[in-house]
């Protein structure tokens, strides 16, 4: 009698996502990795994430410690954003316990862009030459050249600044692309 043998296959599907696509420096990002056994044999996965230590948060319900066929495990970890864009890569290696077979391995990545917070400050005077006792009006312009709203505090050691314009959209927040204007007056020689 002839027998037909169907080889068992081992394969996995891996996804990696961040809880948001943009962040400011210092904000915490939560990374979520899912590993699904899409093959026909139980697997033992090993996770490698250079940025953070992954913790299994769900899915290991049947044979504890074994990724059973059709089972999906979920892992999470957090990192604090620095000043540059981050691409976080996870590599999942598995062992199917069958010697001589190629065990599945997959890498996935997720990227978070860092929003910049930058300003451009310009100070001018209403005249370039002034006599003793003459008044000079100083104008300070603060422009948000970054990507996030800011709440700046403007101060001048020579006089008390008064906001004279520019705060039109989101009152109290210097929105990206917005310019605020301040003015103050001093008397030369004071």
């Amino acid at each position: 009698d002839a027998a037909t043998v169907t080889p068992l296959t081992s394969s996995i599907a891996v996804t990696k996502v961040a809880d948001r696509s943009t962040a400011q420096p210092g904000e915490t990002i939560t990374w979520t990795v899912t590993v699904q056994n899409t093959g026909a044999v139980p697997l033992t996965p090993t996770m490698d994430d250079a940025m953070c230590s992954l913790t299994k948060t769900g899915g290991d319900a049947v044979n504890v410690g074994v990724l059973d066929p059709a089972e999906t495990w979920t892992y999470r970890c957090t990192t604090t954003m620095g000043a540059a864009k981050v691409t976080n890569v996870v590599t999942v290696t598995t062992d199917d316990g069958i010697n001589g077979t190629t065990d599945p391995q997959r890498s996935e990545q997720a990227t978070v862009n860092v929003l910049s917070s930058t300003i451009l400050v310009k100070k001018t005077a209403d005249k370039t030459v002034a006599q003793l006792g003459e008044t000079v009006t100083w104008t300070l312009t603060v422009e948000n050249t970054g990507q996030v709203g800011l709440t700046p505090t403007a101060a001048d050691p020579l006089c008390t600044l008064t906001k004279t314009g520019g705060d039109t959209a989101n009152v109290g927040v210097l929105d990206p692309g917005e310019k605020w204007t301040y003015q103050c007056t001093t008397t030369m020689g004071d």
Side-chain angles (χ1 to χ4, degrees), residues 133-152:
E134 238 182 315
T135 61
V136 176
T137 300
W138 302 92
T139 302
L140 179 72
T141 304
V142 180
E143 179 181 2
N144 184 344
T145 55
Q147 300 167 306
V148 295
L150 304 170
T151 53

Side-chain angles (χ1 to χ4, degrees), residues 13-124:
V14 178
T15 62
K16 180 162 198 167
V17 295
D19 63 347
R20 65 188 124 191
S21 60
T22 58
Q24 295 182 46
E27 287 186 328
T28 300
I29 299 296
T30 299
W31 308 91
T32 302
V33 176
T34 59
V35 181
Q36 180 182 21
N37 185 341
T38 56
V41 295
L43 301 170
T44 305
T46 304
M47 312 298 286
D48 181 23
D49 188 319
M51 290 196 71
C52 53
S53 180
L54 290 163
T55 301
K56 190 184 328 173
T57 58
D60 193 2
V62 181
N63 296 319
V64 177
V66 177
L67 182 61
D68 295 302
E71 190 172 51
T72 300
W73 289 2
T74 304
Y75 295 82
R76 286 200 172 81
C77 65
T78 60
T79 56
T80 302
M81 294 301 293
K85 174 174 102 173
V86 172
T87 299
N88 188 347
V89 178
V90 64
T91 301
V92 181
T93 306
T94 60
D95 183 0
D96 61 14
I98 303 170
N99 292 330
T101 63
T102 303
D103 297 327
Q105 177 178 338
R106 298 280 183 272
S107 292
E108 286 296 325
Q109 67 184 31
T111 301
V112 175
N113 292 306
V114 176
L115 299 174
S116 65
S117 55
T118 56
I119 60 171
L120 176 64
V121 179
K122 183 178 179 183
K123 186 175 183 180
T124 59

